[in-house]
């Protein structure tokens, strides 16, 4: 969980148990998808924006209105019962919502106080948000892996892309590129990469005016550091260890550094106009999903998109 120095990508050696857990992702995905769907179904009060307009996705049939051009008539549908119908397509805005889910080694951590590992909670939260947002009429994709889609199979699409993405198992930062101006980003991470590096990525992604939301996933032990006596700490990213003679006294300095680390991330979000939400793995996943979905719905309503 803690770094004494930052190693280059070629030097990093994730701890074997965490590496094995990441390789077992395919076995866990069916359960995580089911849990995500349960969480999505429990989230209420998020209103969609589905409406007719220019787009490629079929929405509904409606009766022809007097004065409309005959070219708009769907003759096959109209032939069924002798009435004239128009085939409407769903309005699609020129923006999308882009997920990025951190699956680096530190995300594999889970203490006895947690309901799930950080990576499992991140995946469930990401999948549930994708399904909730698509049901609300949004298009969702994963940065660097998929297109933004308004598909009823969005969860399966994301799961399949993540399962075969080996590079994502070591990446602890989102792609270093600006987002489209009308896009929204949802970055789900534990934020334990170097704070300045994450702050720079936020600034780059937001440089075009894109909005974003950071969901920090934290294990309760990472928050409280409830240890005393001698302790040995493992860095899951780099494979390093640190022996501490008096963990109780050392814990105060740890909490101070953690707060300073997060303040750098908060400041980057403030400058970019992004939001930052802390979600602990001893709390229900629905809390994080509802919070982010509500923030997106509020931002949509505020700008009439």
């Amino acid at each position: 969980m803690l770094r004494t120095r930052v190693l280059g990508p070629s030097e990093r050696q994730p701890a074997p148990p965490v590496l094995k857990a990441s390789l077992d992702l395919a076995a866990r995905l069916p359960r995580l998808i089911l849990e995500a769907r349960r969480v999505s179904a429990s989230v209420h009060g998020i209103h969609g924006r589905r409406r007719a307009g220019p787009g490629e996705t079929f929405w509904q049939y409606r009766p022809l209105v007097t004065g409309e051009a005959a070219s708009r008539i769907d003759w096959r549908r109209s032939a069924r019962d002798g009435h004239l119908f128009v085939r409407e397509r769903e309005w699609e805005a020129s923006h999308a919502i882009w997920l990025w889910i951190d699956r680096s080694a530190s995300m594999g951590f889970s203490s006895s106080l947690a309901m799930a590992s950080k990576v499992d909670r991140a995946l469930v939260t990401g999948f549930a948000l994708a399904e909730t947002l698509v049901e609300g009429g949004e298009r969702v994709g994963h940065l660097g892996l998929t297109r933004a889609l308004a598909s009823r199979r969005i969860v399966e699409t994301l799961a399949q892309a993540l399962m075969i993405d080996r590079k994502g198992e070591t990446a602890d930062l989102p792609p270093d590129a600006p987002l489209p101006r009308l896009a929204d980003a949802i970055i789900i991470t534990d934020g334990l990469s170097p704070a300045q590096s994450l702050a720079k990525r936020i600034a780059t992604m937001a440089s075009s005016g894109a909005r974003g939301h950071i969901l920090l996933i934290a294990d309760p032990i990472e928050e409280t550091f409830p240890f005393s006596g001698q302790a040995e700490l493992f860095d899951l990213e780099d494979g390093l260890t640190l022996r501490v003679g008096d963990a109780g006294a050392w814990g105060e300095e740890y909490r101070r550094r953690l707060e300073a680390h997060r303040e750098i991330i908060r400041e980057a979000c403030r400058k970019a106009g992004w939001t930052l939400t802390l979600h602990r793995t001893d709390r229900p996943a629905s809390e994080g999903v509802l919070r982010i979905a509500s923030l997106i719905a509020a931002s949509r309503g505020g700008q009439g998109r």
Side-chain angles (χ1 to χ4, degrees):
M1 292 187 294
L2 304 172
R3 289 182 172 80
T4 56
R5 68 184 182 96
V6 178
L7 299 182
S10 63
E11 297 179 272
R12 293 186 173 184
Q13 297 293 330
V18 176
L19 182 59
K20 182 178 184 302
S22 68
L23 295 176
D24 289 341
L25 175 60
R28 303 198 312 278
L29 273 176
R31 174 180 59 81
L32 297 179
I33 289 172
L34 288 174
E35 184 178 351
R37 289 219 159 96
R38 178 186 60 78
V39 171
S40 177
S42 71
V43 175
H44 302 289
I46 305 300
H47 302 287
R49 58 176 183 82
R50 298 177 72 92
R51 55 187 180 274
E56 299 179 355
T57 306
F58 169 72
W59 184 29
Q60 65 178 3
Y61 292 108
R62 64 166 176 79
L64 179 72
V65 176
T66 302
E68 285 189 281
S71 60
R72 300 202 61 193
I73 298 172
D74 187 295
W75 295 105
R76 181 176 296 181
R77 173 65 182 86
S78 300
R80 294 180 189 173
D81 51 20
H83 296 286
L84 297 178
F85 287 92
V86 171
R87 181 184 178 91
E88 282 193 335
R89 299 185 185 276
E90 183 185 344
W91 179 86
E92 292 183 1
S94 60
H95 68 266
I97 297 175
W98 292 100
L99 283 169
W100 185 78
I101 301 173
D102 186 351
R103 293 177 292 124
S104 60
S106 67
M107 293 291 289
F109 180 69
S110 177
S111 74
S112 59
L113 302 180
M115 300 171 68
S117 68
K118 291 187 291 182
V119 69
D120 282 8
R121 178 55 55 85
L123 289 165
V124 167
T125 303
F127 292 160
L129 277 167
E131 180 150 297
T132 299
L133 293 166
V134 166
E135 285 295 317
E138 304 289 356
R139 293 182 297 127
V140 179
H142 191 288
L143 285 171
L145 292 182
T146 74
R147 296 185 298 113
L149 302 169
S151 168
R152 293 181 179 179
R153 292 184 54 81
I154 186 62
V155 174
E156 286 83 359
T157 298
L158 294 175
Q160 290 171 6
L162 289 167
M163 187 171 60
I164 63 176
D165 175 40
R166 291 292 173 254
K167 290 183 179 179
E169 294 174 358
T170 56
D172 55 5
L173 291 169
D176 188 18
L179 289 166
R181 186 177 65 85
L182 296 180
D184 288 76
I186 303 173
I187 308 302
I188 305 176
T189 178
D190 60 7
L192 293 183
S193 55
Q196 292 291 357
S197 298
L198 180 54
K200 289 179 180 178
R201 292 294 169 93
I202 292 170
T204 298
M205 296 172 75
S207 61
S208 62
R211 295 184 301 232
H213 310 275
I214 306 291
L215 183 64
L216 283 184
I217 307 292
D219 188 279
I221 277 185
E222 293 175 333
E223 295 291 287
T224 59
F225 199 80
F227 304 113
S228 60
Q230 294 187 357
E232 188 173 26
L233 308 178
F234 295 90
D235 186 328
L236 301 181
E237 296 275 339
D238 301 332
L240 302 176
T241 62
L242 175 65
R243 291 181 175 83
V244 179
D246 185 355
W250 199 81
E252 183 176 348
E253 175 65 11
Y254 164 85
R255 288 185 288 271
R256 185 189 68 78
R257 291 192 179 192
L258 179 63
E259 179 57 28
H261 177 93
R262 288 195 178 150
E263 182 55 34
I264 294 173
I265 302 172
R266 287 192 198 99
E267 182 60 23
C269 288
R270 281 193 289 266
K271 288 181 178 179
W274 288 25
T275 70
L276 179 67
T277 299
L278 176 65
H279 175 71
R280 288 175 39 154
T281 53
D282 58 345
R283 302 294 304 166
S286 57
E287 291 183 3
V289 173
L290 182 58
R291 169 67 176 168
I292 299 300
S294 297
L295 288 169
I296 290 175
S299 67
R300 287 286 191 268
Q303 297 195 18
R305 290 203 246 164

